[in-house]
Amino acid sequence: MLTIRRLSLSDARMLIAGARERAHEIGVPMCIAVTDESGQLIAFERMDGGKVTSTIIAQDKAFTAAGAKRTTESYWEASQPGKPAFGINSAIGGRLMVVAGGIPVVVDGDVVGAIGVSSGTPAQDSDCAQSGIDHFLASLRGPEAS
Amino acid sequence: MLTIRRLSLSDARMLIAGARERAHEIGVPMCIAVTDESGQLIAFERMDGGKVTSTIIAQDKAFTAAGAKRTTESYWEASQPGKPAFGINSAIGGRLMVVAGGIPVVVDGDVVGAIGVSSGTPAQDSDCAQSGIDHFLASLRGPEAS
Amino acid sequence: MLTIRRLSLSDARMLIAGARERAHEIGVPMCIAVTDESGQLIAFERMDGGKVTSTIIAQDKAFTAAGAKRTTESYWEASQPGKPAFGINSAIGGRLMVVAGGIPVVVDGDVVGAIGVSSGTPAQDSDCAQSGIDHFLASLRGPEAS
Amino acid sequence: MLTIRRLSLSDARMLIAGARERAHEIGVPMCIAVTDESGQLIAFERMDGGKVTSTIIAQDKAFTAAGAKRTTESYWEASQPGKPAFGINSAIGGRLMVVAGGIPVVVDGDVVGAIGVSSGTPAQDSDCAQSGIDHFLASLRGPEAS
């Protein structure tokens, strides 16, 4: 039997809060998804004005980052023409996202879930996703709790 | 009427055993799928720590290699920008995999099934898939049995 | 953060072995799938002669039993005409199975995975799935090992 | 290694010819699909006036009959409310057909493929499918050869 560590709902809310705060700062309404380590959705928020297409894309970014234990941005690099993972973007019915904005949440070396953000540029999406993770990891260390 | 040769379940186990042994050697937990010559799943194993996304990708690599009677790596080459098969990676709902790691199993000139491996780099996946085939083909000749 | 218990690959093999033994006894070649508690495939075997359609159905029975933490048979009851869950069989793109043969694996009150069996009658499928679970649970208590 | 017998293309044409002839007799333009024993399409014809929806349904009827080694009509019976296979009609993304018109082709006890017919009433579809099989089996015995 294996023992797995996984984000709770309150953890997921913390991740979303961090991403949402950053989205407000840069003025881009985002879709923000948090999945567990198996890629299953825990929490999702579409900020008013977030894109409809991004409701799916944010989820798939988080699914990819959790399931493959790497950022979607790293796939972007690895799937360029001539690179080894070229063509992987259409895998799993197109759910495997290679556009930046999906980042695994790593605690003590274990992937415990992932966050996926979509509606801005890939750089903005990634920025907000990372802000969510920073906020969450800070909460694990600091006195604040959800 | 046609007569077709096809991997049995015990053949599939032999293929998986060979791939798994190589995966242990290189220290990468893999998802390993074996399909028959029609691309239908015969056996599958996700080693502890294998990627969730690879449960599908390993099966689709085997499906592609069996169905198209060629390695997924050969599609990688053929589907680069400007090459004739460019864009084929999204065919069949994204099941057609062009990333290395899917190899047909050929016995006496006939494709009798395929193996698909995923979770490492494409080169590692392909290495393990080939080890599975080598192990299986050796078992056909030698005295060793599973 | 949550802590989750999950079947390992060796656990999954034990479950398949128990189901396969029963399938041999009743003379029905089966497709047998084991998923983790999130419904993601760990291991699969199609016995020689198992049905092609059952390669998918066995996986979806295990997915349903793990994900919903109940037997697919219990959904059969609940989804009859006039019953509250009527029509749920087509949910999740048809992956939600209400035909008997999918059973969650429960250890110390936690669903740690599931087994799905298909190719016989629903009663035969369920019988073999339960035999897989019995074999696995006995192995947790006893000295026997895979 | 297993040895499998499978319909050839000329066999498939014979099956379609028999079904088409019957369709002409009853005055219903049909979609007629023939798959191999794994449910993969070998040949298909939509008679002028055949229904567009039936291009898919005929294929799925043949897929079901081949993959499950039974008539789709037998599933209709087994999947009525209160019957063991109730709810199976939506399995495999809805490809599992329980409406009459899909019949496996059995030669010397082996399922070697299947025929699926759609556009008429289920009884008409089944009638034409059976006529295809009768025509094919007669050709195996008689002086005419494929």
Side-chain angles (χ1 to χ4, degrees), chain B residues 2-3 14 18 20 28 35 49 51 69 78 96 103 109 114 123-124 139:
Chain B
L2 307 177
T3 300
M14 192 74 75
R20 188 178 53 226
V28 181
T35 68
K51 296 179 181 175
K69 303 181 184 181
L96 197 144
I103 306 181
Q124 289 172 328
S139 78

Side-chain angles (χ1 to χ4, degrees), chain A residues 1-5, chain B residues 46-49, chain C residues 3-11 36-37 42 112:
Chain A
M1 203 87 67
L2 307 176
T3 300
I4 306 290
R5 297 179 72 202
Chain B
R46 171 160 49 120
M47 295 167 66
D48 297 336
Chain C
T3 299
I4 306 291
R5 298 179 72 202
R6 170 180 292 174
L7 295 172
S8 67
L9 174 54
S10 66
D11 295 332
D36 63 24
E37 90 301 330
I42 303 176
V112 296

Side-chain angles (χ1 to χ4, degrees), chain A residues 1-11 36-40 63 107 112 136 140, chain C residues 1-11 36-40 63 107 112 136 140:
Chain A
M1 203 87 67
L2 307 176
T3 300
I4 306 290
R5 297 179 72 202
R6 170 179 293 173
L7 296 172
S8 67
L9 174 55
S10 66
D11 296 331
D36 63 24
E37 88 301 328
S38 293
Q40 308 284 12
F63 164 77
V107 174
V112 297
F136 168 66
L140 288 186
Chain C
M1 204 87 66
L2 307 177
T3 299
I4 306 291
R5 298 179 72 202
R6 170 180 292 174
L7 295 172
S8 67
L9 174 54
S10 66
D11 295 332
D36 63 24
E37 90 301 330
S38 292
Q40 307 283 12
F63 165 78
V107 174
V112 296
F136 167 66
L140 288 186

